[in-house]
């Protein structure tokens, strides 16, 4: 407001009211831009992106997409998945007794899964997985392929997320029209207040110049 006072030099209550109108119009215009930017930023948060990707990914997979799935696979998990997939040919068709030697990474994961259920490996496979070892191994390999493969689930999700994020940066037509109308109204208020102030100041100056010297 001080900067506007320095520029327009309000000398009367009427001038003061017009300068206040100018200040309010400028403030509202700035708030409108900030609100529009905030709305775009909100649509691009991880949670909102996950919702958008879930809607588009439903054609491939009915499961809900988590925001963490849109992040790059961490190096440790990628290395583990790569090791599992590398051992897959040796593990497929192998007997449980041969697994520690033929596929140590896969066997270590199997032992870990069984321990989490407080079961022996044999009981865990019998009770928790249809098809025993082959069923468990198939589920493990499916997970690793989905996570680490260039055409797997995570890769497709991240590709969709980039598309959703790009679209989120562009307001919808209805939003753009609403913002445009409001901005036009603010501009009109601003220009009218400035014009009225200039006219009042010019008229006052003409009156002063027309007054005869005492």
């Amino acid at each position: 407001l001080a900067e506007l006072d320095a520029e327009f030099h309000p000398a009367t209550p009427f001038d003061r009211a017009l300068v206040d109108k100018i200040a309010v119009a400028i403030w509202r215009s700035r708030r409108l831009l900030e609100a529009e930017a905030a709305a775009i930023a909100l649509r691009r948060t991880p949670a909102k992106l996950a919702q958008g990707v879930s809607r588009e990914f439903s054609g491939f997979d009915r499961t809900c997409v988590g925001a963490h799935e849109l992040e790059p696979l961490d190096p440790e998990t990628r290395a583990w998945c790569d090791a599992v997939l590398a051992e897959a040919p040796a593990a497929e068709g192998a007997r449980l007794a041969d697994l520690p030697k033929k596929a140590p990474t896969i066997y270590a994961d199997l032992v870990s899964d069984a321990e989490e259920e407080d079961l022996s490996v044999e009981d865990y496979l019998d009770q928790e997985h249809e098809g025993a070892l082959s069923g468990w191994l198939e589920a493990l390999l499916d997970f690793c392929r989905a996570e680490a493969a260039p055409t797997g689930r995570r890769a497709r999700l991240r590709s969709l997320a980039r598309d959703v994020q790009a679209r989120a940066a562009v307001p919808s037509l209805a939003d753009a029209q609403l913002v445009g109308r409001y901005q036009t109204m603010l501009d009109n208020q601003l220009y009218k207040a400035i014009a009225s102030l200039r006219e009042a100041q010019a008229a006052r100056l003409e009156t002063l110049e027309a007054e005869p010297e005492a």
Side-chain angles (χ1 to χ4, degrees):
L1 189 57
E3 293 177 353
L4 293 176
D5 286 346
E7 180 175 352
F8 292 110
H9 306 289
T12 67
F14 182 69
D15 289 357
R16 173 79 272 154
L18 290 173
V19 171
D20 288 346
K21 281 189 175 183
I22 293 170
V24 169
I26 293 174
W27 176 78
R28 285 177 174 169
S29 183
R30 289 174 177 169
R31 285 292 301 271
L32 177 63
L33 294 176
E34 291 172 358
E36 186 177 16
I40 291 173
L42 180 61
R43 290 196 298 270
R44 302 179 77 183
T45 59
K48 289 293 184 181
L49 283 177
Q51 290 177 6
V53 171
S54 292
R55 288 191 293 270
E56 299 204 13
F57 199 66
S58 62
F60 305 98
D61 188 332
R62 292 291 177 183
T63 59
C64 184
V65 175
H68 67 282
E69 295 181 272
L70 306 182
E71 297 295 327
L73 191 63
D74 66 89
E76 183 178 352
T77 303
R78 175 170 290 280
W80 174 79
C81 284
D82 288 344
V84 168
L85 293 174
E87 292 178 359
E92 291 175 325
R95 295 182 305 147
L96 180 59
D98 297 330
L99 206 58
K101 182 177 181 180
K102 291 186 174 182
T105 302
I106 291 176
Y107 182 72
D109 192 69
L110 174 58
V111 171
S112 176
D113 286 353
E115 289 177 347
E116 287 181 4
E117 300 296 329
D118 197 24
L119 295 170
S120 67
V121 170
E122 292 79 2
D123 289 342
Y124 172 72
L125 291 175
D126 289 340
Q127 297 178 23
E128 302 294 330
H129 285 276
E130 185 177 351
L133 178 59
S134 61
W136 176 87
L137 181 60
E138 182 180 359
L140 177 67
L141 296 179
D142 285 346
F143 170 81
C144 288
R145 292 187 184 107
E147 291 294 297
T151 57
R153 172 185 166 91
R154 184 178 291 265
R156 286 186 290 166
L157 289 178
R158 286 177 52 76
S159 177
L160 280 174
R162 287 190 290 270
D163 293 340
V164 172
Q165 189 173 42
R167 290 197 300 272
V170 181
S172 67
L173 179 59
D175 288 344
Q177 290 175 338
L178 181 62
V179 170
R181 286 195 297 269
Y182 188 52
Q183 184 64 67
T184 298
M185 182 190 73
L186 293 177
D187 290 343
N188 289 337
Q189 291 177 351
L190 175 62
Y191 298 146
K192 286 180 180 179
I194 292 174
S196 296
L197 179 60
R198 292 303 191 194
E199 289 173 4
Q201 291 175 331
R204 191 162 56 249
L205 180 59
E206 289 178 2
T207 300
L208 291 174
E209 291 176 347
E211 290 181 354
E213 296 184 4

